[in-house]
Amino acid sequence: MIVDGRVLDANSTRKTNVCIMGGGVAGLVLAKELAASFKKIIIIESGGEYYDQETQELYAASTNNKNHYPNSLYSRLRFLGGSSNHWENNTSPLDPIDFEKRDWIENSGWPVDYDDVAQHYPAAGEYCGVKDDGYDKKVWSKRLNKEDVFSNSVSLETGIAKAARPSTRFYNSYGKEIAALPSIEIITNANAVDVEFDENTKNISKVYFESIPGIRHEVSTDLCVMCLGGIENARMLLAFNEKYDHRLGNRYDNVGRYFMDHPVVRAAQFYAHDMSRYTLYKTTDLVDRIVLGFWKLRADTLAANKLNNIRMPLVSATNYTMSDGISSHHILKDALSNGELPEDFGSHLLNFVRDFDMVAEAVSRRKFGTKIFDHADEIAAYQMPIMMEQTPHRDNRIKLGDSKDRFGIRRIEIEWQLKEDDKEKFWQALTLVANEVGANSLGRIRLLQERSERIWGDQLGFGHHHMGTTRMCHNYKDGVTDATQKVFGTNNLFVAGSSVFPTGGHVPPTLTIVAMTIRLAKYISREFARG
Amino acid sequence: MVDQLRRQFIAAAVGSCVFSSVPMLSDSFGQHTKQKKTLVVDEYLYIYKHWMNEVGLEPADYLISRGITTLTNRENVREYVTADFSTANTMNIQGYILSKVEVAIMGSIGKNFS
C-alpha cells in the first residue's frame, strides 16, 4: 500500500514492527527481503513516485565544499528508487583485499570478511538486473570469445563490470510488487524529523515524520533502519543525536567522519601496439545488459607495493581528444588573458604549433559548429578514467551547518580533501601499470603528471559514491555501527547503504550495498522476527 | 564572412601542418593510427639532453655496455626492451614510460642534431 503523507490526518499515529527511513535502493531491497518475516513494515520516503524539485532541494548544503568536491544537491535523488533513478547501473564486486586490514591504508579493514558478503552477490546481481552469473574474468573471456590480455601478467589482471540495459530503476522494477505486499506500507512525502530513544532499553521507540512543516506524525516501532543514503544517513543521525547528547553511535564523534568518494582521474593514456586485442575492454551488448572489462592491479601487487586499489577502464580517444595542442591552447589562453606567462611556456607553445591542425579543428567546431579534418575523429589511443580508492581520513566529514531546511533539519556541510599520500600512491600504481604494459609488449603508457594541477583540480571527476560516514567497526571507539550494522549504543537502530563501508574499494558500490542489505535482512529476520 | 573566416582557418591549419608535420616515433609507441605531427629534430634532441641529464653516459656507450652493438636484429632489441620494463629499468619522457634501451636509441639519434 502507498499512502501520501500529505493527506494523513494531523498528528496521526501508527504501529509497526519495522520502520525503514528511505525508499531508495537499500530501503526497497530491505523491505522486500523482510516482508515475509514481519507483520508490518513501514517505509517513510521523503519524495514521491516522481521527481519533485521542492523535495530535491531538501538536499541543499549549508555551504559548498571549496576543495573541488562537487555540490551533492543533484548527485543523489530524493524520491522512491533514490539514486538508482539516474545511476549508470555499473556493477562489480569488491575484492577480498578490500575487506582486509591493510597496514599501509590507515583506518582500513572491515569487521566482516569477503565471504560473508560475497555469498549475497548472486542475489544482489539479480536485484541490479545483471543476473547471478558472476564476474569471473576467465568465464567471461571464454563466453564472449574475447582475449584477456593479462592472463599471464604478474601484476595486472582483468576485472569485469556488468550493467543492465535499460538501467534498473529500483522503484520501477520492484515498487509495485513491494507496495502490493500485505505487510508493507509506503508513506510518501514523509520526512523523518525526529526519533524517541529510550535510555533504559536503548531502543528507538518512535519515529516522527512531517509531510507539511510543523504537522507531525508518529510511528511506534520495534525496529528502525536508516536507508537514507551515504550523506543523509550521517546528517539525520547527527540531527537525532542533538537531542540525545550523542548517545546514538556518536559518543566518540565518529558520525559523519571518514567520508569517502571515488575520485575519477584522467591521468594516463594507453598507446596500444595492436588495438584489435582490446575488445574485451569495450562494451559488449548482450540481450538485456552489457559486459565490460577493465584493468586492475592484482591483490598481491597491491600488498607488495602498499598501494590503494584502482580501477582502470579503457575509453577510445580520437586525435582530437588526445591533442596536447588543445590543452596547451587552453592553458596559454587562460594565462595570457590574466597577463601572465604559464609555466613551461615554451612547451605549450610547441604543443600549440605542432598540433595546430587540432587547435584549428577545435576553434572551427566551437565557432562554426563544423569539422575540418577527417583524421580528427580517428582513434589515437585509449584514455583511462581511473577510479581510485580513497584512504578513509577522519577529517573528511559531513557535518551539520547553520542553516536549516523547511522541516527544521540543519543542512549539511562537507569537508573533503584528497590527501597527498593518496596521490603519491596513485602515481606509483600507474608507473607499475606502465612497466607491466611494456613488459607484456602491449604498448606504452603515458602519465599526465605534468598536468597534475588540473588533473587534481578542475579536471578531477567523481563517482558520486558517498561512503563511510556511519562506518562499520569492531569497536565503538572507531566506528558508528557494529558488524551487524547496528548503531553502537542502541539495541534496535540499524543503518544500511554505503555509509557503513569502512573503505570504498575500487568499484561502484551499489552491488555491494544490495548484498550487504540482503545480509542485514537475514540477520534482522533471524534475531527480531517473532511468529 | 563566416566562410571567409573558415577558409582562413583551413589555410592557416594546412600551412602549419605542412610546415611542421613529420611522422615519428610511431614504431616506438605502437602501431596505433595516431597521425602525430611533431618537430622531429626538437624531439630527438630533447630526448638526448634528457638522457644526458639523467644518465650522464653517452647513449651509444650505454647501449654498448648493455651488449647492444647493432640495431638490425629487432627481436634482440625487443627482448632488451621487455627486460627493461620487467625490471622497472625505465625513464619518463614527457610522461611516456619508456625502456632505457629505447630511450638510448632515440637519444643516439638526437645526438646527431646536437
Side-chain angles (χ1 to χ4, degrees):
Chain A
M1 177 172 48
I2 297 181
V3 177
D4 188 336
R6 294 171 298 191
V7 302
L8 295 176
D9 292 337
N11 306 315
S12 71
T13 60
R14 279 172 160 68
K15 281 190 175 179
T16 187
N17 300 120
V18 182
C19 178
I20 298 173
M21 297 184 208
V25 170
L28 291 172
V29 170
L30 186 67
K32 190 166 184 289
E33 291 290 312
L34 292 178
S37 303
F38 292 91
K39 285 182 180 170
K40 180 76 175 174
I41 296 168
I42 291 178
I43 298 176
I44 296 172
E45 166 56 43
S46 173
E49 292 186 76
Y50 304 100
Y51 180 86
D52 173 71
Q53 185 62 30
E54 193 179 27
T55 304
Q56 184 67 26
E57 284 177 3
L58 293 169
Y59 275 153
S62 184
T63 53
N64 285 318
N65 182 268
K66 296 184 181 75
N67 295 309
H68 302 294
Y69 195 75
N71 186 340
S72 62
L73 174 56
Y74 296 109
S75 60
R76 47 206 174 123
L77 291 174
R78 197 172 172 118
F79 62 107
L80 282 166
S83 296
S84 76
N85 289 301
H86 68 180
W87 75 320
E88 291 180 11
N89 210 141
N90 198 332
T91 66
S92 296
L94 291 174
D95 288 337
I97 195 173
D98 293 322
F99 291 82
E100 294 171 8
K101 171 72 181 166
R102 289 164 282 172
D103 294 337
W104 62 95
I105 299 179
E106 194 183 0
N107 304 310
S108 63
W110 290 47
V112 296
D113 61 25
Y114 171 77
D115 291 336
D116 198 2
V117 177
Q119 62 180 306
H120 304 298
Y121 275 141
E126 291 282 9
Y127 267 113
C128 292
V130 295
K131 302 191 174 158
D132 62 354
D133 45 9
Y135 297 82
D136 187 297
K137 55 184 179 288
K138 286 182 185 166
V139 169
W140 282 104
S141 172
K142 188 175 177 186
R143 188 166 163 185
L144 301 176
N145 194 26
K146 294 184 174 183
E147 182 188 6
D148 172 3
V149 297
F150 296 120
S151 55
N152 297 315
S153 170
V154 294
S155 57
L156 284 169
E157 63 178 337
T158 296
I160 297 293
K162 296 189 293 186
R165 287 293 176 268
S167 296
T168 300
R169 313 296 181 205
F170 274 64
Y171 182 69
N172 283 350
S173 297
Y174 308 110
K176 281 184 183 168
E177 178 193 347
I178 292 170
L181 292 167
S183 57
I184 290 180
E185 181 180 20
I186 300 173
I187 307 176
T188 57
N189 302 297
N191 297 278
V193 292
D194 198 2
V195 293
E196 194 74 35
F197 177 61
D198 187 319
E199 298 281 357
N200 296 317
T201 62
K202 307 291 182 197
N203 281 340
I204 299 290
S205 56
K206 290 176 184 170
V207 175
Y208 299 99
F209 69 88
E210 294 181 9
S211 298
I212 298 165
I215 300 177
R216 282 202 169 189
H217 304 276
E218 176 184 305
V219 178
S220 297
T221 186
D222 300 328
L223 188 76
C224 184
V225 188
M226 300 179 73
C227 303
L228 298 163
I231 292 176
E232 212 68 0
N233 275 342
R235 178 193 180 196
M236 293 311 297
L237 198 50
L238 286 168
F240 298 155
N241 264 304
E242 289 189 315
K243 182 175 164 186
Y244 293 107
D245 194 27
H246 301 286
R247 285 191 283 275
L248 308 178
N250 203 30
R251 189 197 299 167
Y252 298 98
D253 187 22
N254 287 323
V255 175
R257 293 187 179 273
Y258 305 98
F259 175 56
M260 299 168 288
D261 202 323
H262 284 130
V264 179
V265 195
R266 291 182 180 270
Q269 297 165 344
F270 170 48
Y271 293 85
H273 280 316
D274 178 1
M275 295 190 84
S276 67
R277 291 181 66 188
Y278 300 91
T279 53
L280 181 60
Y281 308 92
K282 293 178 180 171
T283 299
T284 301
D285 291 296
L286 302 179
V287 174
D288 52 1
R289 55 191 171 144
I290 59 171
V291 180
L292 177 73
F294 58 88
W295 297 8
K296 60 193 221 181
L297 285 161
R298 290 166 54 108
D300 50 358
T301 306
L302 293 172
N305 295 280
K306 300 186 182 303
L307 299 171
N308 292 25
N309 220 334
I310 55 174
R311 174 184 185 274
M312 297 169 281
L314 301 184
V315 177
S316 300
T318 62
N319 285 316
Y320 181 76
T321 53
M322 301 288 279
S323 168
D324 287 343
I326 294 173
S327 297
S328 291
H329 168 64
H330 288 301
I331 292 168
L332 287 169
K333 197 173 83 173
D334 290 347
L336 294 175
S337 64
N338 292 330
E340 300 168 353
L341 282 182
E343 282 184 34
D344 296 328
F345 173 73
S347 299
H348 290 306
L349 193 60
L350 187 63
N351 287 342
F352 180 85
V353 170
R354 73 187 182 189
D355 255 4
F356 188 76
D357 53 345
M358 289 302 104
V359 177
E361 178 78 18
V363 173
S364 175
R365 288 186 186 192
R366 171 170 282 198
K367 296 287 183 194
F368 312 117
T370 57
K371 298 176 180 178
I372 301 176
F373 299 108
D374 289 340
H375 73 266
D377 287 333
E378 288 174 5
I379 301 300
Y382 293 104
Q383 283 191 330
M384 304 173 85
I386 302 160
M387 186 178 283
M388 61 184 285
E389 178 183 27
Q390 193 184 359
T391 299
H393 283 286
R394 187 173 165 76
D395 50 354
N396 282 343
R397 65 187 297 198
I398 306 297
K399 62 181 193 176
L400 299 179
D402 294 330
S403 65
K404 295 180 177 177
D405 69 18
R406 61 195 167 94
F407 292 98
I409 305 297
R410 288 168 66 188
R411 297 184 185 277
I412 55 161
E413 283 182 4
I414 299 177
E415 292 179 356
W416 183 92
Q417 274 190 320
L418 189 57
K419 307 289 186 181
E420 289 303 317
D421 62 333
D422 279 356
K423 296 177 188 174
E424 283 170 22
K425 283 191 274 190
F426 176 79
W427 291 121
Q428 287 170 23
L430 286 191
T431 304
L432 269 175
V433 172
N435 288 337
E436 186 65 4
V437 164
N440 284 274
S441 299
L442 298 176
R444 298 291 179 269
I445 295 281
R446 183 185 182 192
L447 308 185
L448 304 177
Q449 263 172 301
E450 85 276 9
R451 300 182 196 167
S452 279
E453 195 173 329
R454 295 198 70 197
I455 282 173
W456 301 116
D458 63 312
Q459 290 181 342
L460 186 61
F462 289 89
H464 304 290
H465 305 143
H466 309 130
M467 301 172 287
T469 55
T470 63
R471 68 197 319 257
M472 299 170 81
C473 220
H474 284 297
N475 62 74
Y476 196 169
K477 197 177 171 195
D478 298 323
V480 177
T481 54
D482 66 14
T484 67
Q485 299 176 227
K486 187 166 67 181
V487 174
F488 285 118
T490 74
N491 284 329
N492 72 340
L493 176 61
F494 292 81
V495 180
S498 54
S499 66
V500 304
F501 291 12
T503 50
H506 64 306
V507 292
T510 305
L511 184 77
T512 303
I513 290 173
V514 176
M516 295 282 288
T517 304
I518 295 169
R519 174 182 173 274
L520 172 63
K522 291 190 182 306
Y523 174 79
I524 289 175
S525 296
R526 198 167 58 238
E527 297 295 321
F528 291 87
R530 296 182 187 91
Chain B
M1 180 61 183
V2 170
D3 285 340
Q4 188 183 349
L5 280 170
R6 282 190 60 198
R7 278 196 293 275
Q8 286 173 355
F9 264 118
I10 292 168
V14 171
S16 174
C17 293
V18 169
F19 168 71
S20 66
S21 67
V22 182
M24 84 164 256
L25 296 182
S26 58
D27 282 345
S28 299
F29 296 158
Q31 297 166 2
H32 55 81
T33 58
K34 188 178 185 194
Q35 297 182 1
K36 187 72 181 167
K37 285 159 283 296
T38 190
L39 302 174
V40 63
V41 174
D42 285 348
E43 289 288 349
Y44 283 127
L45 190 55
Y46 171 86
I47 292 169
Y48 173 65
K49 287 179 178 172
H50 188 91
W51 171 274
M52 291 307 292
N53 277 339
E54 292 266 315
V55 183
L57 186 66
E58 285 291 340
D61 292 341
Y62 175 82
L63 292 171
I64 291 167
S65 75
R66 293 285 303 272
I68 301 172
T69 53
T70 172
L71 301 179
T72 53
N73 186 343
R74 293 185 64 172
E75 196 54 45
N76 186 40
V77 173
R78 185 170 294 147
E79 281 180 23
Y80 277 101
V81 169
T82 54
D84 272 354
F85 280 112
S86 297
T87 55
N89 189 31
T90 53
M91 289 180 75
N92 184 326
I93 302 292
Q94 293 183 324
Y96 292 95
I97 306 298
L98 304 175
S99 108
K100 271 195 178 170
V101 163
E102 61 190 356
V103 177
I105 292 169
M106 289 186 280
S108 300
I109 299 168
K111 192 191 175 187
N112 294 321
F113 301 118
S114 64

